[in-house]
Amino acid sequence: MAKAKTVKKVAVKKAAPKKAAAKKTKKVAAAKVSAPKKTVKKVVLAYSGGLDTSIIIPWLKENYKGCEVIAVCADLGQGDELKPVHDKALKSGASKCYILDLKEEFIEDYVWPCVKAGAVYEKKYLLGTSFARPLIAKKLVEIAEKEKADAIAHGATGKGNDQVRFELSVHALAPQIKIIAPWREWTIKSRDEEIDYAKAHNIPVPVTKENDYSMDRNMWHLSHEGSDLENPWNAPKDALFIVTKTPETAPDKAEYVTLDFKEGVPVAVNGKKMTPAKIVETLNAIGIRNGVGISDMVENRLVGMKSRGVYETPAGSIIYYAHNELENLCLDRDTYHYKELVAVKYAELVYDGKWFCGLREALDAFVAETQKTVTGTVKVKLYKGNIISAGAKSKYSLYSQEYVTFGEDEVYNQADATGFINLFGLPLAVRAMMKKGNLK
C-alpha cells in the first residue's frame, strides 16, 4: 500500500509540466482515428486499473468523439488491487464499471481443464494469463450484447500475445463486434509516454518510470515483464517478488501437504474438501510461505519474438506436480506417453488464444477419458522452493509390488525376458549384419 500512495503523490505533483506534450499526442492520435469516430458510440473496455487501461478511458473519449465507455473488470482473485478500481474507472470517464466475481468459474472451467491435460507452455509457463483471457473476453461479449455496445476495447500491446487471445475469443463468440486496440492506433510509443499521458490527465497509475514492470495478476499467478528483466542476464531482484517468499527466506523446516484428486481434478487439501477457488487460495498460502512456484524463463511469443518473464505460481506449481505424480501411478505407459504429446499441443493452443477452437474441445474429450482413473491422494514435501514427492496412493493404481519386487516372487518368470529381448532387438541385429556384409 505504501508504494501505491507514493505513485499517486508523484503523479499529481508532476501533472502540470506535461500538459503541452499530452495535448500534442492527443491531437495526432485524434487525427489518426478520425474515420471510426462516426460509427462507435459505446465501447466495452477490458479494465484492470493498471497503466494501459487507466489511460485508455480518456483516450477513447477523446479520439472516438466522446463515445460512452463501459469498464469491465474481472475479479480473478487479485485481492486488494480491485478496491479502487470502480471509483477510479468512473473518475477517469467511464459511465459504468462492472466488477465481476469470476473466481470459481475461472478455476473450474478454465484452470482445471489445463491441469487435467498437463498443459505447460515450453516446460515452464503454467498459463496463468493465457487461460484468463478467454474468460474475460467471454464476459466482455456478454456485457457488450447486454449494453448494445458497438465495440470492445482492450489494453494489450501490438507486440504481445494478449491482443491475439482477446480478439480470437471475441471472433469466436461474436464476430460482428468491432474491436479497438489503442496500442495499434495511438502515437504513444512506450510505457514512459503512457505515464506522462496519465500525469497530464491527473490519472493515478500503479507504476513509475523507476518501477515500471508490466504485471498481470490473478489468483493463479503473478507475472512480471519489462524493465531490468528485458536483459536475460539480469537475475530478478528479491524485491520483485510480491506474492511469494524467496527460497532463502522460507522456513528451515519442511512442510507436508496432501491433495485428493477425483478424475484428475483436485477436490481436497489435507483431507478437507473445498471449492475450486478455495483449494487454490489454500495452496497459495502454503506455497507462498515455503518459497514455492517461482519460474524465470525466456519464452517464444506467438508474434515471433522471444520475451523474458518471471512468474509466481505457488498453488499451481504444487497442483501440477501432484497431478503428474498421480498420473504416473494410474496411467499405462502408452497412454501416459501419448498424453505428454497432447499436453504440448494443448498448451500451445491455449497460449495462442485458441481456447474456443474445435481442436481444443476435441482434445478435451481425449483428456477426459484418460482422467477417469486419475483419482487418489498425493503427498508432497515443500522445502525452500522445492516440491518433493512424499507418497501417492489410488484404488486405480497400476503399480504392483508383487511384480516389481527385487525379492522372491511367484508371478514373474525372468527367463521370459530372453525371448522378448531377442525379438525387440531383432531390427538392430539385422542392421548390424547388413553393415558388416553378413546379411543373407
Side-chain angles (χ1 to χ4, degrees), residues 211-353:
N211 182 22
D212 65 342
Y213 294 111
S214 176
M215 296 184 289
D216 176 74
R217 184 172 188 170
N218 56 49
M219 67 189 309
W220 187 253
H221 88 157
L222 172 61
S223 66
H224 310 265
E225 291 181 319
S227 192
D228 59 300
L229 296 178
E230 290 183 354
N231 182 347
W233 183 248
N234 291 335
K237 301 172 183 176
D238 286 353
L240 175 84
F241 300 108
I242 298 173
V243 171
T244 192
K245 287 186 175 182
T246 60
E248 294 87 349
T249 58
D252 292 329
K253 184 179 179 180
E255 181 172 357
Y256 290 84
V257 59
T258 62
L259 278 76
D260 294 335
F261 287 84
K262 183 177 180 180
E263 296 187 2
V265 170
V267 293
V269 177
N270 291 331
K272 185 177 180 180
K273 291 187 176 181
M274 304 176 187
T275 67
K278 188 63 177 177
I279 285 173
V280 173
E281 290 173 355
T282 301
L283 289 174
N284 269 335
I286 295 171
I288 285 167
R289 63 175 171 257
N290 288 286
V292 165
I294 295 172
S295 179
D296 183 351
M297 66 181 292
V298 173
E299 68 195 60
N300 290 293
R301 283 184 183 173
L302 173 61
V303 294
M305 66 188 75
K306 289 185 181 290
S307 66
R308 196 269 190 95
V310 176
Y311 301 98
E312 301 179 64
T313 320
S317 298
I318 297 169
I319 290 169
Y320 265 83
Y321 187 99
H323 178 262
N324 185 64
E325 289 295 284
L326 193 57
E327 285 194 326
N328 283 335
L329 200 65
C330 299
L331 297 184
D332 64 88
R333 181 174 183 264
D334 283 346
T335 302
Y336 183 86
H337 286 184
Y338 194 79
K339 187 172 178 290
E340 286 185 300
L341 302 177
V342 169
V344 171
K345 186 60 181 179
Y346 197 106
E348 187 178 273
L349 290 172
V350 176
Y351 186 88
D352 291 353

Side-chain angles (χ1 to χ4, degrees), residues 76 98 185 200 202 212 233 255 289 320 357 396 409:
L76 302 177
Y98 288 83
E185 296 184 21
N202 293 317
D212 65 342
W233 183 248
E255 181 172 357
R289 63 175 171 257
Y320 265 83
C357 78
Y396 299 108
D409 71 84

